Amino acid sequence: MTDRKSIAITCTACGAESLLVRRPVYDGFKRTGESLHCAACGHTFASEADVPFKEAKRPAVFTEADRSAAVQVFEEAEGRRLCRYCAHYVVNPFTQWCGVHKKEVEATDSCDRFEKREEE
């Protein structure tokens, strides 16, 4: 029983609340699919549609009233003046470079000489 994933089911063969076991099916070294079995009794299900999955019931601990309001840290256009959007920003595999200041920069840096790069 290697390489398996499990999900809660109510088995139609044994009636137990059990887990669905997915076992890979191989043809030689090539994986051709998976077989579906009840972990309690070993009953094999023909397809995913035949599996009697159990509904996941999660307790309602919090309501929408308990959630905090969405925080808007930046204005929409505020992040668009970063070096990564500048026409002078140069990227190569070893460094990120500013063509105006002739120095190494990070993509999230910004300066007063920002020029918007033309979209490709």
Side-chain angles (χ1 to χ4, degrees):
M1 289 199 233
T2 59
D3 189 27
R4 62 184 186 183
K5 301 173 193 170
S6 300
I7 297 207
I9 64 168
T10 303
C11 183
T12 53
C14 66
E17 289 184 7
S18 181
L19 297 174
L20 176 69
V21 179
R22 298 173 186 264
R23 293 187 186 129
V25 176
Y26 291 95
D27 181 23
F29 288 111
K30 184 177 180 182
R31 184 175 179 162
T32 58
E34 61 186 12
S35 59
L36 308 170
H37 305 276
C38 171
C41 68
H43 175 73
T44 303
F45 297 99
S47 68
E48 187 105 12
D50 297 337
V51 178
F53 291 106
K54 229 176 123 178
E55 292 293 322
K57 295 179 184 175
R58 296 184 183 180
V61 178
F62 298 105
T63 64
E64 287 299 318
D66 296 326
R67 297 191 187 279
S68 60
V71 179
Q72 185 79 17
V73 178
F74 299 107
E75 293 178 13
E76 177 119 2
E78 186 176 4
R80 301 303 280 169
R81 294 190 52 86
L82 301 175
C83 285
R84 69 180 288 184
Y85 302 115
C86 183
H88 304 290
Y89 180 65
V90 179
V91 178
N92 72 40
F94 305 105
T95 187
Q96 301 169 37
W97 186 260
C98 177
V100 173
H101 298 292
K102 308 285 192 256
K103 68 175 187 176
E104 192 171 320
V105 295
E106 296 291 326
T108 55
D109 291 348
S110 61
C111 73
D112 294 335
R113 298 187 55 191
F114 175 85
E115 290 181 28
K116 185 174 170 126
R117 178 178 19 170
E118 291 182 21
E119 297 298 323
E120 298 174 3

